[in-house]
């Protein structure tokens, strides 16, 4: 897993050339509305906190029609793709720098949501593009809180499920969002797989290792990484406001190879 690319930004009235490639990207937590990613002809309009996924070999480009720069994070599995010597596949669109808009915003959610055609064609890609809305993820977290469904190791914790098969977000990576309620401190646990975090809201600290603990303090919009098989716990430093962390991990790859492990402290 190569991790986050925080340099992914676009100036006012800018666009990024149209291409498709083997490493799969997904766009995480744009700073504001106004830009869109065109994916297989659909303009996925970015809003604060949204998650957009583009499986490998899906045509996509980015456009910012607003008057302000917009910054987001790309996460890719380029590391494992390079290790497998499959990173040389990249194709530029032959008919210009931007693909034509052949669908309307929200098409992927309508095509691949809970009510969909019985069989979904991937057309050579590793999955389907999809647009997860921040408002729905936040409502799911709040519903967990209302129902008292709280994980002792991760707080209010949900996974962005693959829209077609209900599995992990991707074959090689999966995404989570978690909420720590005011003053909450989770228990220690550890697991295989690297985890990359991005702070959506709030401030807190992640304690790494139990014998010689190291505290990583984080604030809104901070990003940090957690190596594999390290004891860790999270703490929300606010007594009045929740803290929200987005994360992406390569544990699905370890599960496929029978190497995934987890231990609770």
């Amino acid at each position: 897993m190569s991790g986050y690319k925080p340099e992914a930004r676009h100036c006012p009235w800018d666009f990024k050339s149209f291409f498709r490639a083997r490493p799969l990207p997904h766009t995480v937590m744009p700073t504001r509305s106004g830009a869109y990613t065109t994916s297989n002809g659909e303009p996925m309009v970015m809003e604060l906190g949204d998650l957009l996924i583009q499986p490998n070999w899906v045509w996509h480009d980015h456009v910012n029609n607003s008057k302000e720069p917009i910054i987001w994070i790309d996460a890719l599995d380029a590391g494992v793709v390079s290790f497998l010597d499959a990173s040389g596949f990249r194709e530029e669109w032959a008919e210009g720098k931007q693909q034509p808009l052949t669908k309307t915003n929200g098409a992927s959610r309508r095509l691949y949501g809970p009510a969909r055609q019985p069989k979904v064609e991937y057309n050579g890609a590793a999955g389907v593009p999809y647009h997860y809305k921040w408002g729905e993820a936040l409502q799911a977290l709040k519903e967990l809180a209302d129902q008292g469904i709280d994980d002792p190791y991760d707080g209010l914790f949900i996974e962005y499920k693959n829209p077609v098969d209900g599995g992990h977000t991707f074959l090689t990576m999966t995404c989570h969002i978690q909420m720590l309620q005011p003053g909450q401190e989770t228990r220690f646990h550890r697991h295989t797989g690297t985890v990359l975090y991005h702070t959506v809201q709030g401030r807190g600290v992640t304690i790494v290792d139990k014998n010689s603990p190291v505290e990583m303090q984080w604030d809104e919009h901070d990003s940090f990484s957690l190596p594999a098989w390290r004891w860790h716990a999270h703490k929300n430093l606010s007594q009045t406001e929740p803290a929200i962390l987005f994360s992406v991990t390569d544990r699905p790859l370890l599960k496929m190879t029978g190497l995934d492990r987890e231990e609770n402290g």
Side-chain angles (χ1 to χ4, degrees):
M1 185 166 67
S2 289
Y4 290 150
K5 290 176 59 182
E7 76 278 12
R9 65 180 69 191
H10 283 271
C11 298
W13 306 101
D14 190 14
F15 65 88
K16 185 175 181 181
S17 297
F18 182 29
F19 71 100
R20 62 181 179 177
R22 282 303 180 196
L24 61 87
H26 56 277
T27 298
V28 183
M29 308 298 164
T31 55
R32 57 172 60 86
S33 303
Y36 63 86
T37 290
T38 307
S39 184
N40 281 357
E42 176 192 350
M44 295 182 173
V45 179
M46 302 182 194
E47 296 180 343
L48 182 65
D50 286 355
L51 171 64
L52 285 63
I53 62 170
Q54 318 297 326
N56 69 49
W57 220 236
V58 166
W59 289 109
H60 64 282
D61 62 271
H62 310 290
V63 177
N64 180 10
N65 286 328
S66 73
K67 296 180 180 179
E68 300 290 338
I70 293 179
I71 302 172
W72 63 83
I73 296 172
D74 281 351
L76 300 92
D77 63 354
V80 68
V81 172
S82 178
F83 177 78
L84 296 173
D85 199 22
S87 60
F89 299 93
R90 178 184 171 106
E91 183 178 355
E92 304 290 339
W93 183 251
E95 301 176 13
K97 293 186 176 181
Q98 289 181 266
Q99 63 177 303
L101 302 181
T102 59
K103 303 171 184 173
T104 58
N105 181 35
S108 64
R109 292 168 55 80
R110 295 187 291 270
L111 288 171
Y112 310 125
R116 61 172 178 267
Q117 58 187 322
K119 184 178 180 180
V120 174
E121 296 293 339
Y122 287 178
N123 299 316
V128 297
Y130 200 72
H131 189 172
Y132 301 88
K133 304 298 292 182
W134 168 243
E136 294 176 358
L138 185 59
Q139 287 176 359
L141 291 171
K142 291 180 177 178
E143 186 65 29
L144 290 179
D146 291 343
Q147 298 295 328
I149 306 173
D150 193 288
D151 186 293
Y153 305 98
D154 283 303
L156 306 171
F157 191 65
I158 59 175
E159 182 179 13
Y160 288 92
K161 290 293 188 179
N162 183 290
V164 175
D165 61 19
H168 299 302
T169 316
F170 296 109
L171 291 173
T172 55
M173 302 189 300
T174 200
C175 303
H176 296 94
I177 197 87
Q178 65 193 103
M179 177 186 288
L180 303 175
Q181 301 191 71
Q184 183 176 8
E185 183 171 1
T186 67
R187 299 178 186 175
F188 276 96
H189 73 150
R190 61 180 178 177
H191 46 70
T192 51
T194 301
V195 185
L196 305 177
Y197 289 94
H198 179 72
T199 310
V200 181
Q201 175 184 315
R203 60 187 182 91
V205 61
T206 295
I207 305 102
V208 182
D209 296 333
K210 292 196 292 186
N211 293 332
S212 300
V214 175
E215 292 191 353
M216 294 193 297
Q217 292 198 22
W218 37 266
D219 208 333
E220 196 162 308
H221 305 314
D222 285 352
S223 297
F224 60 97
S225 62
L226 177 70
W229 205 242
R230 300 289 290 272
W231 291 108
H232 61 281
H234 306 294
K235 183 178 181 179
N236 182 359
L237 294 179
S238 173
Q239 298 298 319
T240 57
E241 298 294 333
I244 300 177
L245 294 171
F246 172 88
S247 62
V248 56
T249 177
D250 54 6
R251 289 186 69 183
L253 186 61
L254 295 164
K255 290 180 179 180
M256 282 193 292
T257 52
L259 298 173
D260 185 55
R261 299 289 186 274
E262 184 167 359
E263 183 179 0
N264 298 328

